[in-house]
Amino acid sequence: MDEEQTAYFDSGSTTRIDSKVLEAMQPYFKQDYGNPASAHKKGRKAKRAMNKARETIAKSINAQTKEIIFTSGGTESNNLAIKGAAYANKEKGKHMITTRIEHKSVLNPIKWLVKGQGYTVTYLEVDSQGFVNPEELEKAITDETILVSIIHGNNEVGTIQNMEEIGQVTRRKNVLLHTDACQSFTKTPIDVEKQKIDLLTINSHKINGPKGVGAIYIKEGTKITPLNHGGGHEKNIRSGTPNIHGIVGFAKATEQANKPEHVEKMRKMRDKIIEETLKIPNSKLNGPTGEKRLPNNINIYFKGVEGEALSGYLERKGVYTSTGSACSSKKLEPSHVLTAMGMDPERANSSIRITLSRLTTEKEVEHMLEILPKVLENLRKISPLY
Amino acid sequence: MDEEQTAYFDSGSTTRIDSKVLEAMQPYFKQDYGNPASAHKKGRKAKRAMNKARETIAKSINAQTKEIIFTSGGTESNNLAIKGAAYANKEKGKHMITTRIEHKSVLNPIKWLVKGQGYTVTYLEVDSQGFVNPEELEKAITDETILVSIIHGNNEVGTIQNMEEIGQVTRRKNVLLHTDACQSFTKTPIDVEKQKIDLLTINSHKINGPKGVGAIYIKEGTKITPLNHGGGHEKNIRSGTPNIHGIVGFAKATEQANKPEHVEKMRKMRDKIIEETLKIPNSKLNGPTGEKRLPNNINIYFKGVEGEALSGYLERKGVYTSTGSACSSKKLEPSHVLTAMGMDPERANSSIRITLSRLTTEKEVEHMLEILPKVLENLRKISPLY
């Protein structure tokens, strides 16, 4: 199929690199390719580029430059936050708190710590729109609690937690707060001071930057045990020759994305898509609306069709969507997020996710809105469930 | 300083990306940018590209395609090999064996396991040229030994260990053999079957590929505990959205580098540089010669000058070299590798490393050979040590 005819609505999974981002990366491929750990000029040049990138990213979340550590992506940052904080604080306690709607790269490191390392975990329930109750969180904190990890903007249904209220609880209780902000970064305000966040995960490929690069914000003074030991890069927290071209691209993507007009544009597209798709009979929105929802996320239930089948038939017409997160999309289980929000397996399995980036075009939206009702109608005709 | 006038001799630290490698990466930046975990066409296309890359890399070391797992680089692969094997085999024993000439990304994970996780380690001594004695290795193996980690081609002095002999010992003793082959990959033959290697670390940025990507070969059936838990990518061994453009570039770099003529070219340059620099009075080669030395490595002792000072003055003339590895180059301690080879601190501190890549030009070599004796003479004139 001609690339021209496609409409990509899986930006919650990954995005294409923005031309300006790729342009910013160019000098670092073949010219300024030094290792920032090298003492010579090429090394120093790489180090300067890296620190400039660090500054850009720090500013975008109101952090100090030295509080940003580069990693290979969101999964590594989540593992480093969770295992790193768990190892470094085990003298204080071994209890952690998280939610049932986290990404697998938060749930699975915790499961691993619980299974073999003697840690315990409390899972917070969420309401029908995916919100955590800060009062429930407060009740769950014990003297043994060392870490709370709550996803900022949910990757499946777009629910944006009230981090400020959550941060007040954790700071008052003297417990570390980690948040996976891969989906929310540049799409809703993040202010680590105001929101009292101690550890924050962000990455590049969700914001039209290159793959293979991410960062973790570590509040000054927070103890973290490294996962990658070695040459002592990144203040000894994350060894390994830094991915300079990736880091420069990540910073450029941050700079490009971090503009209110992009959020506004995506929000308008999102609301148009929600409005139009809800006109289809027997469809329902999963998750909240307005400011409390990621501006690029739509998750819709269409009674009587398998989400996987719908997504598959849409693909044949050049419309790329997903069911839940890419990381779980090949496992045919009902989404753990929709299930945690109280939906029955039928609804969870009959929902699809439509996600935008700031590069999504009106033309793509129109194409999708033209194709979707037709495909759906055909599928429902043959559905034994409808 | 004009880039034209420079001569880069720090390829042991990092290299520039080959034009053909960058070309191969292009489609994956803005067009085929899918997440290989996605079920749709863009995802499948990414997955195909990734598996093709996996095949190229597997073939280059005589491994099976499924035995290659992509990581963010050498440091992560070394950490995964060592901690992953340590965790997965702790029921069998907690003893490891390594050498005193490893890269920090092998030494430091082991130190961490010893310090806080109840493991023990035996460090094998090396001879004056940096070689491990396989008989010493055999004697060091106990019933508790689970892993032997020995660097294939040393990053500082270029010593290439006899992996075939080493592999015979470890396989006979039923102990896992890991080797850090970041420096030797594509520069000296690697055959995981013949050399009986169970775990092997390679990366991309040492072979004119992009930064931020590497791989680990894990022999089929070898138990490894993941370091990054999450969505279950890479057979559940290394979660995280794969760095597709990086992986494609890594494979292209492997394909480009893996040609006998490149090794031959580097070896000739190396031997010319060794021959010419040894004409300088009071200079000595550190490490072996001929086939037992990496084709791109020169490490020379110049009596009476600080290596750091020599490297710094060479830089002012556009010649980039290093003292030891980049990862340690800012710490002003004598090299642990040269020290392990029995050199006194004076010799260790008066040595520099000159490393080549297949893209190093004759012009660069001539420039360096013209500059080096002059800079050295001037430095020796003012040296209180000479």
Side-chain angles (χ1 to χ4, degrees), chain A residues 41-82:
Chain A
K41 192 177 163 184
K42 274 208 190 298
R44 295 195 304 272
K45 210 162 176 181
K47 188 158 186 165
R48 271 200 302 277
M50 200 168 161
N51 285 341
K52 196 171 158 252
R54 207 188 298 279
E55 201 183 319
T56 301
I57 288 167
K59 272 187 185 160
S60 76
I61 57 169
N62 193 27
Q64 299 177 68
T65 304
K66 63 183 171 184
E67 292 172 321
I68 302 297
I69 297 294
F70 290 109
T71 69
S72 67
T75 292
E76 185 187 333
S77 292
N78 281 342
N79 274 266
L80 179 54
I82 290 164

Side-chain angles (χ1 to χ4, degrees), chain B residues 263-278:
Chain B
V263 172
E264 206 38 56
K265 177 193 149 183
M266 287 189 281
R267 193 173 282 145
K268 271 187 189 159
M269 279 183 176
R270 177 197 73 183
D271 290 343
K272 184 182 174 186
I273 294 168
I274 291 175
E275 197 190 325
E276 292 299 317
T277 48
L278 287 184

Side-chain angles (χ1 to χ4, degrees), chain A residues 211-281:
Chain A
K211 291 177 174 62
V213 58
I216 179 172
Y217 153 79
I218 304 177
K219 186 181 159 62
E220 195 181 2
T222 307
K223 282 192 293 179
I224 284 286
T225 299
L227 292 189
N228 282 329
H229 294 86
H233 312 78
E234 296 295 272
K235 299 197 291 171
N236 228 348
I237 292 168
R238 203 277 185 179
S239 289
T241 300
N243 178 356
I244 295 296
H245 41 76
I247 287 168
V248 167
F250 181 18
K252 188 69 182 179
T254 301
E255 198 186 292
Q256 291 289 108
N258 212 12
K259 294 171 184 166
E261 61 264 34
H262 294 313
V263 171
E264 205 37 56
K265 177 194 151 184
M266 287 188 281
R267 194 173 281 146
K268 271 187 189 159
M269 280 183 175
R270 177 198 71 183
D271 290 343
K272 185 182 175 186
I273 294 168
I274 291 175
E275 197 189 327
E276 291 299 317
T277 48
L278 287 184
K279 286 179 186 165
I280 298 170

Side-chain angles (χ1 to χ4, degrees), chain A residues 325-356:
Chain A
S325 78
C327 300
S328 316
S329 71
K330 287 175 185 169
K331 297 159 199 147
L332 294 173
E333 306 156 357
S335 149
H336 70 282
V337 174
L338 298 182
T339 305
M341 288 160 70
M343 296 175 198
D344 59 27
E346 185 271 321
R347 179 160 173 179
N349 280 329
S350 299
S351 296
I352 66 165
R353 182 179 77 161
I354 295 165
T355 44
L356 321 170

Side-chain angles (χ1 to χ4, degrees), chain A residues 5 200 264 308:
Chain A
Q5 292 174 281
L200 177 123
E264 205 37 56
E308 291 294 338

Side-chain angles (χ1 to χ4, degrees), chain B residues 20-289:
Chain B
K20 285 196 177 153
V21 168
L22 193 54
E23 206 177 287
M25 291 167 75
Q26 289 299 342
Y28 299 92
F29 290 131
K30 288 162 56 179
Q31 189 183 327
D32 299 332
Y33 52 84
N35 186 331
S38 293
H40 56 63
K41 193 177 162 184
K42 274 208 190 298
R44 296 194 305 272
K45 209 162 176 180
K47 191 161 184 161
R48 272 200 303 275
M50 199 169 162
N51 285 341
K52 196 171 157 256
R54 206 187 298 280
E55 200 182 321
T56 302
I57 289 167
K59 272 188 185 158
S60 76
I61 58 169
N62 193 26
Q64 299 177 67
T65 303
K66 63 183 171 184
E67 293 172 321
I68 302 297
I69 297 294
F70 290 109
T71 69
S72 66
T75 292
E76 185 188 334
S77 292
N78 280 342
N79 274 267
L80 179 55
I82 290 165
K83 294 180 201 162
Y87 292 149
N89 295 284
K90 64 183 175 192
E91 304 305 324
K92 197 196 153 198
K94 292 187 123 183
H95 178 241
M96 291 172 294
I97 298 171
T98 189
T99 77
R100 295 199 184 276
I101 60 162
E102 299 300 312
H103 189 265
K104 298 277 184 196
S105 58
V106 164
L107 292 176
N108 287 342
I110 291 177
K111 270 188 197 162
W112 185 75
L113 288 169
V114 169
K115 200 180 168 192
Q117 311 289 311
Y119 290 80
T120 59
V121 60
T122 299
Y123 294 99
L124 298 175
E125 302 296 336
V126 295
D127 67 17
S128 64
Q129 296 200 323
F131 290 104
V132 164
N133 182 341
E135 286 172 28
E136 296 285 318
L137 167 62
E138 182 145 15
K139 280 183 217 159
I141 296 173
T142 72
D143 291 348
E144 293 289 307
T145 309
I146 50 172
L147 179 71
V148 171
S149 182
I150 296 177
I151 190 166
H152 187 203
N154 183 269
N155 54 311
E156 294 194 30
V157 293
T159 308
I160 300 171
Q161 304 295 333
N162 189 331
M163 291 314 291
E164 211 172 326
E165 275 188 47
I166 290 168
Q168 275 166 14
V169 172
T170 49
R171 195 59 60 87
R172 188 167 63 239
K173 290 284 194 172
N174 196 25
V175 169
L176 292 177
L177 174 61
H178 167 248
T179 186
D180 173 359
C182 287
Q183 295 284 340
S184 59
F185 181 52
T186 74
K187 297 193 183 78
T188 193
I190 298 176
D191 181 325
V192 292
E193 282 300 315
K194 202 169 145 193
Q195 295 166 326
K196 299 183 172 53
I197 296 163
D198 301 292
L199 297 158
L200 177 122
T201 293
I202 52 178
N203 71 1
S204 158
H205 77 97
K206 306 281 191 202
I207 59 163
N208 304 104
K211 292 177 173 62
V213 57
I216 180 171
Y217 153 79
I218 304 178
K219 186 181 160 61
E220 195 181 4
T222 307
K223 281 192 294 178
I224 283 286
T225 299
L227 292 189
N228 283 328
H229 294 88
H233 313 79
E234 297 294 272
K235 298 198 291 171
N236 227 348
I237 291 168
R238 203 277 184 180
S239 288
T241 300
N243 178 356
I244 294 296
H245 41 76
I247 287 168
V248 168
F250 182 19
K252 188 68 182 178
T254 302
E255 198 186 292
Q256 291 289 107
N258 213 12
K259 293 171 185 165
E261 60 264 35
H262 295 312
V263 172
E264 206 38 56
K265 177 193 149 183
M266 287 189 281
R267 193 173 282 145
K268 271 187 189 159
M269 279 183 176
R270 177 197 73 183
D271 290 343
K272 184 182 174 186
I273 294 168
I274 291 175
E275 197 190 325
E276 292 299 317
T277 48
L278 287 184
K279 285 179 187 166
I280 298 170
N282 292 308
S283 61
K284 279 180 195 163
L285 181 68
N286 299 321
T289 53

Side-chain angles (χ1 to χ4, degrees), chain A residues 292-305:
Chain A
K292 290 183 171 184
R293 183 182 197 106
L294 289 173
N296 71 324
N297 176 292
I298 299 115
N299 192 311
I300 306 253
Y301 161 63
F302 296 108
K303 189 177 162 69
V305 297

Side-chain angles (χ1 to χ4, degrees), chain A residues 152-180:
Chain A
H152 187 205
N154 183 270
N155 55 311
E156 293 194 30
V157 293
T159 308
I160 299 171
Q161 303 296 334
N162 189 332
M163 291 315 291
E164 211 173 324
E165 274 187 48
I166 290 168
Q168 275 166 13
V169 172
T170 50
R171 195 58 59 86
R172 187 167 64 238
K173 291 283 195 173
N174 196 25
V175 169
L176 293 176
L177 174 61
H178 167 249
T179 186
D180 174 357

